Amino acid sequence: MTRTRFAPSPTGFLHIGSLRTALFAYLFARHEKGKFILRIEDTDRNRLVEGSIDQIIRSLEWGGIQIDEGIEINKDGNLVQKGECGPYIQSERLKIYQEYIQILLESDNAYYCFCIRERLDHLRKTQEANKQATRYDGHCRSLSLKETKKRVAHGEPAVIRLKMPTEGTINFVDMVRGEVSFENKQIDDQILIKSDGFPTYHFAVVVDDHLMKITHVIRGEEWISSTPKHIALYQAFGWNVPFFAHLSLLVNEQRQKLSKRHGDISLEDFKEKGYLVEALINFISFLGWNPGDEREMFTLKELEKEFTFKKVSKAPAVFNREKLNWYNKQYIIAMNPEELVDNALPFFIQHGLVNPESIERDFLVRAVQLEQGRAVTLVDLVEALGFLFASSLIIEPELLVWKKSTRDDAKEKLNQVVIFFQTIKEGEWNKVKLKEKTMVWIQENDFCIGNVLWPVRVALSGQKNSPGPFEIAGVLGKDKTIVRIRSAASLL
Ligand code: GLU
């Protein structure tokens, strides 16, 4: 059975590039009817950030990426592990690594190294000065295991290194990049266990991928040079080597690697800016993948059916903001207004426009439709609708006057509209009926359309540009509409 995993280090928020890795590993598992596993790689104790495991899980959950095995947050908000290959947090697996490193020591595939910092620094500086590749020189490679064990037992600090073969090559077929080959002699004797007894990433990742029965290792391109070290470890253990897929780099439009410095790269940022999860997932799935035809809109379920590595490109994937905006807009347009309110409500509350204690849902359902075709994000939507919620508007009186008209005329028209609107029954108070009736009334009175509709629109919105007067009046309702027109007339 296909088993893929996402193995983040808990060093902060989920980066958008990591989300892509998780998504591709998840989609592939689903496509192959396999399992998707979450493992936390927390052996680098200096980089840990408190709370990140929760963050990562919540972000995956938000994205709809379901974890079959690994860690989840239960109803009480606690982290719990599920699955038969646990624990799924590396710091809880230290005993396992100790056990497996013994196998490599006994089979002479690993050795204790006692070289102190000063020696290694000196070695590196000399190599740099001679323009050589910096690497360990094998100083402790031929010490006998018996002797080294004694030294360790006496408390001498040591690391354990991989005894890389000095000849031959490591070849593998990457599912994205095709054939890859590295010469063994170019590969350093990697540290497997640090002096504090913790495994390094290289050792833990191989032991865990093997014990967790991972069939396909899917990760970012930055790990490709580590893969031969990992394969050397599989070979040293005599284990089957999994398949590998290294996903291309994510770059911005200037072709620079996406990085924290350029802002906006954590999933949280996008969420806070009012991007919809469906849009983001659809957009991210296209970062290096496409269905091979013109289709662009995919739900997560559809992606699960369509996704294969045959359509994953090795070229750097460009993170195109315009495209993301396009997706978000399409998803906002496609939503029914009820759903849109559900999604926008937290933003209305956050902007202080809606009191969570007294939500007027019908009003919101009408309101969101005013901007549904225009808004790029939920924040745009909410900001553009702010005027609807104001108890009174601040209006520059001159703005109420249509180009060819005068203040007096604008005042008179507004007053007449108030009288006319009062004759319209509540049951007919909707944008369609309002428009129909008002246009007839304008015609009957021989008014110029602009002289009436411009001041009314400004009276209702307080803005130079806004949705049309009937749309706004329909949302505000009869009473509020009349109050706003009256108070605008009083400014003139
Ligand atoms: N812990 C590594 C990371 O943070 C995982 C790399 C891998 O998937 O092997 O990206």
Side-chain angles (χ1 to χ4, degrees):
M1 188 207 274
T2 297
R3 290 170 61 89
T4 68
R5 58 26 169 215
F6 176 51
S9 300
T11 54
F13 286 109
L14 194 65
H15 179 285
I16 212 82
S18 306
L19 180 62
R20 179 187 60 161
T21 306
L23 180 64
F24 283 21
Y26 167 80
L27 292 176
F28 184 69
R30 284 288 172 274
H31 186 266
E32 303 295 310
K33 310 250 177 303
K35 293 263 184 274
F36 174 69
I37 290 121
L38 174 69
R39 178 176 71 232
I40 298 297
E41 302 206 326
D42 59 346
T43 57
D44 187 349
R45 310 304 290 170
N46 300 323
R47 291 173 60 228
L48 299 188
V49 176
E50 177 77 28
S52 4
I53 302 183
D54 289 63
Q55 282 287 358
I56 291 169
I57 296 175
R58 287 195 198 285
S59 293
L60 293 176
E61 259 173 19
W62 186 69
I65 298 176
Q66 291 157 14
I67 298 156
D68 299 315
E69 272 177 41
I71 308 137
E72 61 184 9
I73 300 175
N74 69 8
K75 280 190 218 82
D76 305 326
N78 298 321
L79 290 179
V80 287
Q81 304 201 27
K82 57 169 181 183
E84 279 159 21
C85 304
Y88 293 88
I89 299 179
Q90 287 186 330
S91 57
E92 296 175 14
R93 299 173 62 80
L94 300 182
K95 265 212 187 107
I96 301 176
Y97 307 124
Q98 285 305 336
E99 186 186 316
Y100 278 87
I101 198 64
Q102 293 310 322
I103 300 176
L104 292 188
L105 285 169
E106 297 297 336
S107 62
D108 199 27
N109 282 299
Y111 60 94
Y112 283 103
C113 166
F114 302 91
C115 292
I116 54 170
R117 179 85 290 155
E118 288 70 22
R119 179 174 186 277
L120 295 173
D121 284 347
H122 179 73
L123 176 67
R124 183 172 41 80
K125 282 189 193 129
T126 319
Q127 288 170 335
E128 275 168 4
N130 295 333
K131 305 249 177 307
Q132 289 169 324
T134 52
R135 53 181 301 172
Y136 183 61
D137 60 355
H139 186 257
C140 296
R141 224 177 125 105
S142 46
L143 300 176
S144 81
L145 183 58
K146 216 169 144 199
E147 182 191 337
T148 54
K149 278 204 165 158
K150 254 193 227 148
R151 288 171 68 178
V152 172
H154 279 101
E156 198 174 334
V159 301
I160 301 175
R161 290 183 185 269
L162 172 65
K163 197 176 260 186
M164 256 320 273
T166 49
E167 287 170 357
T169 55
I170 284 191
N171 305 308
F172 62 98
V173 180
D174 188 89
M175 289 159 71
V176 177
R177 316 186 63 85
E179 287 199 21
V180 184
S181 170
F182 287 87
E183 279 187 79
N184 283 343
K185 64 169 189 269
Q186 306 295 347
I187 303 169
D188 210 353
D189 279 358
Q190 203 61 50
I191 296 180
L192 303 177
I193 301 283
K194 296 179 266 190
S195 52
D196 61 3
F198 267 74
T200 57
Y201 155 70
H202 300 292
F203 188 59
V205 80
V206 169
V207 170
D208 289 352
D209 282 341
H210 173 73
L211 295 179
M212 295 179 185
K213 305 186 184 73
I214 302 302
T215 55
H216 296 76
V217 170
I218 298 161
R219 58 186 171 203
E221 189 179 75
E222 65 273 26
W223 299 106
I224 199 160
S225 59
S226 302
T227 302
K229 299 170 194 168
H230 300 172
I231 294 179
L233 276 166
Y234 282 99
Q235 290 173 345
F237 277 116
W239 292 340
N240 282 341
V241 179
F243 293 102
F244 291 95
H246 289 92
L247 307 178
S248 67
L249 214 60
L250 274 195
V251 294
N252 63 18
E253 273 135 292
Q254 288 74 47
R255 303 252 149 199
Q256 297 155 324
K257 186 172 181 245
L258 272 199
S259 79
K260 294 207 172 91
R261 272 178 298 124
H262 297 114
D264 279 8
I265 45 141
S266 81
L267 189 61
E268 292 298 308
D269 287 329
F270 288 102
K271 214 169 136 184
E272 275 165 27
K273 290 209 161 87
Y275 285 92
L276 295 166
V277 61
E278 296 83 355
L280 210 51
I281 290 289
N282 198 155
F283 169 74
I284 291 172
S285 72
F286 272 68
L287 294 174
W289 173 85
N290 69 70
D293 53 38
E294 299 300 302
R295 288 171 303 157
E296 294 196 284
M297 306 296 282
F298 287 88
T299 63
L300 190 60
K301 277 270 156 291
E302 289 163 347
L303 289 168
E304 291 172 16
K305 276 211 198 91
E306 294 275 341
F307 184 87
T308 68
F309 273 96
K310 284 192 199 87
K311 299 273 166 41
V312 173
S313 156
K314 62 179 175 202
V318 182
F319 188 96
N320 178 335
R321 210 19 157 12
E322 286 296 304
K323 191 73 198 189
L324 172 60
N325 288 345
W326 178 84
Y327 270 118
N328 213 53
K329 199 169 165 183
Q330 299 312 309
Y331 275 91
I332 288 183
I333 291 172
M335 274 188 175
N336 71 45
E338 290 279 349
E339 270 180 287
L340 187 51
V341 169
D342 291 338
N343 282 280
L345 194 56
F347 294 92
F348 279 118
I349 294 171
Q350 203 183 59
H351 279 67
L353 298 176
V354 167
N355 175 354
E357 308 293 307
S358 54
I359 297 169
E360 291 177 61
R361 235 193 123 82
D362 291 346
F363 176 71
L364 292 176
V365 169
R366 289 190 310 245
V368 294
Q369 294 177 63
L370 286 184
E371 287 294 330
Q372 193 168 9
R374 259 185 296 258
V376 169
T377 65
L378 296 173
V379 170
D380 285 350
L381 178 93
V382 165
E383 283 176 353
L385 294 176
F387 73 90
L388 290 175
F389 297 83
S391 52
S392 65
L393 298 175
I394 299 165
I395 304 177
E396 184 54 51
E398 282 310 314
L399 191 61
L400 288 158
V401 184
W402 173 243
K403 294 185 246 178
K404 292 171 212 147
S405 184
T406 62
R407 281 176 82 119
D408 287 345
D409 181 61
K411 186 181 178 89
E412 188 214 311
K413 294 291 181 304
L414 287 174
N415 285 328
Q416 297 219 28
V417 169
V418 168
I419 297 167
F420 169 65
F421 275 2
Q422 276 165 336
T423 68
I424 296 178
K425 292 192 213 76
E426 288 285 356
E428 291 182 326
W429 194 272
N430 60 60
K431 66 177 179 193
V432 180
K433 273 270 176 256
L434 267 177
K435 182 170 181 183
E436 214 175 271
K437 288 185 171 278
T438 310
M439 294 318 261
V440 172
W441 175 76
I442 289 176
Q443 219 172 21
E444 280 168 2
N445 288 283
D446 222 2
F447 295 147
C448 161
I449 297 179
N451 288 355
V452 180
L453 297 192
W454 175 272
V456 171
R457 196 189 55 72
V458 175
L460 297 182
S461 70
Q463 295 167 4
K464 202 166 165 196
N465 301 307
S466 74
F470 305 113
E471 279 92 350
I472 304 177
V475 173
L476 285 176
K478 187 168 169 176
D479 293 348
K480 279 192 193 152
T481 299
I482 289 175
V483 169
R484 284 196 178 189
I485 299 176
R486 265 209 192 108
S487 94
S490 73
L491 296 172
L492 293 164

